[in-house]
Amino acid sequence: MIQLPTGIQLQEKTLAFLAKTQHLFMGGEWTAPAEGQYFPTLNPANAEVLAEIPLATSPDIDQAVAAARHAFQNHWHPKIKPAKRSQLIHKLADLMQRDLPILMELETLDNGKPLNKAKYDVLGAINHFRYYAGWATKIEGTTIPVDGHKLVYTLREPLGVVGLIIPWNFPLMMAAWKLAPALACGNCCVLKPAEQTPLSALYLCNLIQEAGFPAGVVNVVTGPGVPTGEAISQHMDIDKVSFTGSTVVGRKIMTAAASSNLKKVSLELGGKSPNVIFADADLKAVSQSALWSSFYNTGQECTLGSRLYVERPVYEEFITKLKEQAEQLSIGNGLTNPDLGPVVSQKQLDRVLNYIQVGQNEGAELITGGERCTGALSDGYFLHPTIFGHTNDDLQVVQEEIFGPVVVVSPFDKPEEAISRANHTRYGLAAAVWTQDISKAHRFAQATQAGTVWINGYDLFDPAVPFGGHKESGIGAEMGRSAIDLYTQEKSVWVNLK
Ligand code: NAI
Ligand code: MG
C-alpha cells in the first residue's frame, strides 16, 4: 500500500501499474530477468519501496540487442516508410497525452518532484515526440558537384541499434530526448532508465506497444550502471550509445566504446553554469528567475545557474532578496505540489550534505540553508535551499557540480572580470547574462564558453533548438536538426556516368 499525504489519491491505473510484477521489455514481450535478480525503487519523499524492478545482466542485454537488431533488419527502416514512422511516433504522443495524469504521478512518486513540475516534464516529452515525428519524413541527403562525368549523392541512414542511457532527474523527458530522434531517424533502441527512476520508462513500454510499434523497435532494460549500463556500453552489436549523466560515467562510456566496437558516442554531461547579473538589469525579473535557476528540480538539473555572479553595486540588495525568497520556498511531498520536493536518493542527499560541509570547511560563507529538513520531512531526502557567498572561484563548491539545492554567489566589478570568471570552469553547458545593454549582452554571449547562452532569461528550451555541452560538458548536441546528425550516418554514393 502506497503511503500518501492526507487527502491525496492516486489514479486507479497508477495503483494498478504499481501493484503489477515489473518485467523487462524486449522484443515486444515482458520478460523476467535472466538471473532472477530484482532491486527496489524508492519514493524519495518517504523512502518507501514503490516496486521491485528487474535487474538486467549481460544475457538480458544480449537478448534486447538481438531483438533490436532483428527489428532493425526486418521491421523498421527501410521496411517501414518514414510517414509510417512519423504516424507511430505521433500515436505514442497521443497516448502519453491520454495518460498524462498517470505519467505525472509515476514521475512524482519515483523522483520526488512536484506534480505540477512533473506535468511540464510529461508535456515536454510529448512535444519532443511530436517535433521529431515531423522530422521522420524530412531526413535528406545531398547531391555534390564534382569534376568529370560523375554523379555524387549522399544518403543519410540510421545507425542501427542504439543504446540510450539516461539519468534520474527528468526521467521521462530524457527518455523522449533520445527515443524521439533515434526512432524518427529509423534506429531501433535499447533504453536504460536510471535505477532510481525506472517507472515511467516501464509504463511507456505499454504505450509503445499500444501505439503499434513493431516488436523490438524499442526495448527497455532496467538496472544500475554496473552491470546493466556497462553491458550496453561494452556491447559489440550496439552501434551507438547516447548518454546523459555524470562526467565520470561519460568518460567510462567512451572508454568502453573505444575498447569494444568503437560505437559512436554522444554525451550530455554535467555543468556548473554561470548566471551573470549586471547592475543595469531588470532586478525584479532577475531575482524571480535566479531563485528558480538556482533551485528548480531541487537543484538537480545540469543547466542550473549554480554559480551566480552579481555586479557589486547591486550585490547586497540581490543577496538579501534571494535569501528571503529561498527561505520562503515550500518543501514537501511532490504530490502536494510544494515548490521543492526531496533530492532523489540517500546517496544524493549524502553527496549534497558532504558538499555543504566542504564549502564551510573551505571558508565559503553560509548565507542560508545548509541542513537536512527535520520533523515531518525527516523520513524523506529533503534539504533546505542553500546559498553560499564566496570570493574565490577555486573553491570545490564553486568548481564541482553539486546537483542539489545549493547555489554559490560572488560579487564582481568589471564586465571582463565577469567573462573570465564565468569561463573559469571545466564545464561548458550553459550560461546566462542579465543586462539592458545589448552590446554588453552579445559580447558576453560571444565570449562565453558554453553550448547555450540565455540573455535576460534562464532555462529556455524548445525541441527545435540545439542543446549540447562545450568543454567537459559533453560531445554532440541533442534537439533540433543536431540530433538528426547524432542518430544517422552519411553514405556517399558515386556514379560513374562514362
Ligand atoms: P550517473 O552518471 O552514475 O548515472 C546516470 C546514468 O548512467 C544512470 O542510468 C546510471 O545507471 C548509468 N551508469 C552509471 N554507471 C555506468 C557505467 N559504468 N556504464 C554505463 N552506465 C552507467 O549519475 P549519478 O551517480 O546518479 O549522479 C552523480 C552525479 O552525476 C550527480 O550528482 C550529478 O552531478 C551528475 N548527474 C548529471 C546529470 C545530467 O543531467 N547531466 C544527471 C544525473 C547526474
Ligand atoms: Mg525512485
Side-chain angles (χ1 to χ4, degrees), residues 291 294-295 298-299 322-323 325-331 339-341 356 366-373 382-388 404-407:
L291 179 71
S294 302
F295 302 123
T298 316
L322 186 68
K323 172 177 187 291
Q325 288 174 307
E327 286 168 357
Q328 281 167 6
L329 288 172
S330 58
I331 304 172
D339 291 321
L340 304 181
I356 290 170
L366 184 63
I367 294 172
T368 186
E371 283 173 341
R372 185 173 180 173
C373 301
F382 294 96
L383 279 163
H384 289 286
T386 299
I387 305 174
F388 274 118
V406 181
V407 66

Side-chain angles (χ1 to χ4, degrees), residues 110-181:
D110 215 6
N111 166 282
K113 65 179 65 200
L115 203 56
N116 53 13
K117 304 296 189 301
K119 185 174 181 181
Y120 291 149
D121 290 8
V122 183
L123 292 176
I126 292 170
N127 241 343
H128 221 82
F129 278 113
R130 293 209 189 282
Y131 172 80
Y132 281 104
W135 264 106
T137 50
K138 296 165 194 72
I139 298 167
E140 298 169 341
T142 52
T143 55
I144 304 168
V146 294
D147 286 347
H149 294 287
K150 311 258 184 327
L151 165 68
V152 179
Y153 62 92
T154 64
L155 297 171
R156 205 157 251 293
E157 298 179 332
L159 296 162
V161 176
V162 295
L164 312 174
I165 302 178
I166 58 170
W168 41 260
N169 51 346
F170 294 90
L172 195 65
M173 193 129 85
M174 290 301 104
W177 279 24
K178 300 199 188 299
L179 283 173

Side-chain angles (χ1 to χ4, degrees), residues 153-406:
Y153 62 92
T154 64
L155 297 171
R156 205 157 251 293
E157 298 179 332
L159 296 162
V161 176
V162 295
L164 312 174
I165 302 178
I166 58 170
W168 41 260
N169 51 346
F170 294 90
L172 195 65
M173 193 129 85
M174 290 301 104
W177 279 24
K178 300 199 188 299
L179 283 173
L183 293 170
C185 291
N187 299 282
C188 292
C189 306
V190 176
L191 171 76
K192 190 195 89 62
E195 58 272 35
Q196 297 85 350
T197 55
L199 293 175
S200 54
L202 288 171
Y203 188 85
L204 193 69
C205 298
N206 293 302
L207 305 185
I208 285 167
Q209 219 165 13
E210 190 181 342
F213 282 86
V217 169
V218 178
N219 306 275
V220 173
V221 291
T222 43
V226 180
T228 316
E230 197 179 67
I232 292 174
S233 61
Q234 293 177 343
H235 206 280
M236 291 301 288
D237 199 31
I238 290 184
D239 300 297
K240 179 214 165 76
V241 170
S242 172
F243 169 77
T244 299
S246 61
T247 301
V248 174
V249 173
R251 286 181 208 282
K252 290 185 185 164
I253 296 216
M254 285 197 87
T255 307
S259 59
S260 55
N261 61 342
L262 276 176
K263 55 179 68 65
K264 315 276 179 282
V265 173
S266 57
L267 306 172
E268 201 264 273
L269 307 174
K272 190 78 180 179
S273 301
N275 191 7
V276 174
I277 295 152
F278 283 97
D280 66 354
D282 171 357
L283 284 187
K284 219 162 152 208
V286 179
S287 77
Q288 192 58 22
S289 166
L291 179 71
W292 288 111
S293 61
S294 302
F295 302 123
Y296 191 78
N297 213 37
T298 316
Q300 303 165 115
E301 183 183 331
C302 51
T303 51
L304 286 189
S306 49
R307 285 189 297 139
L308 269 166
Y309 291 102
V310 185
E311 205 171 7
R312 199 173 303 271
V314 294
Y315 182 77
E316 285 306 329
E317 178 192 342
F318 176 83
I319 291 297
T320 308
K321 183 80 186 149
L322 186 68
K323 172 177 187 291
E324 189 186 299
Q325 288 174 307
E327 286 168 357
Q328 281 167 6
L329 288 172
S330 58
I331 304 172
N333 187 312
L335 293 170
T336 65
N337 272 325
D339 291 321
L340 304 181
V343 294
V344 76
S345 62
Q346 181 72 50
K347 181 179 148 202
Q348 202 60 20
L349 180 77
D350 292 344
R351 186 185 153 95
V352 179
L353 283 170
N354 180 57
Y355 271 115
I356 290 170
Q357 192 56 54
V358 166
Q360 287 172 288
N361 294 349
E362 59 187 0
E365 178 203 356
L366 184 63
I367 294 172
T368 186
E371 283 173 341
R372 185 173 180 173
C373 301
T374 51
L377 297 182
S378 54
D379 288 344
Y381 311 129
F382 294 96
L383 279 163
H384 289 286
T386 299
I387 305 174
F388 274 118
H390 74 95
T391 50
N392 178 358
D393 288 334
D394 290 321
L395 299 184
Q396 223 178 315
V397 287
V398 182
Q399 285 299 314
E400 294 178 16
E401 182 175 54
I402 298 176
F403 233 60
V406 181

Side-chain angles (χ1 to χ4, degrees), residues 278 280 415-416 419 433-448 453 455-456:
F278 283 97
D280 66 354
E416 312 79 69
I419 289 169
V433 61
W434 296 80
T435 174
Q436 311 270 15
D437 176 339
I438 54 166
S439 304
K440 200 152 63 178
H442 290 286
R443 260 204 312 277
F444 178 90
Q446 283 185 5
T448 305
V453 180
I455 296 175
N456 294 334

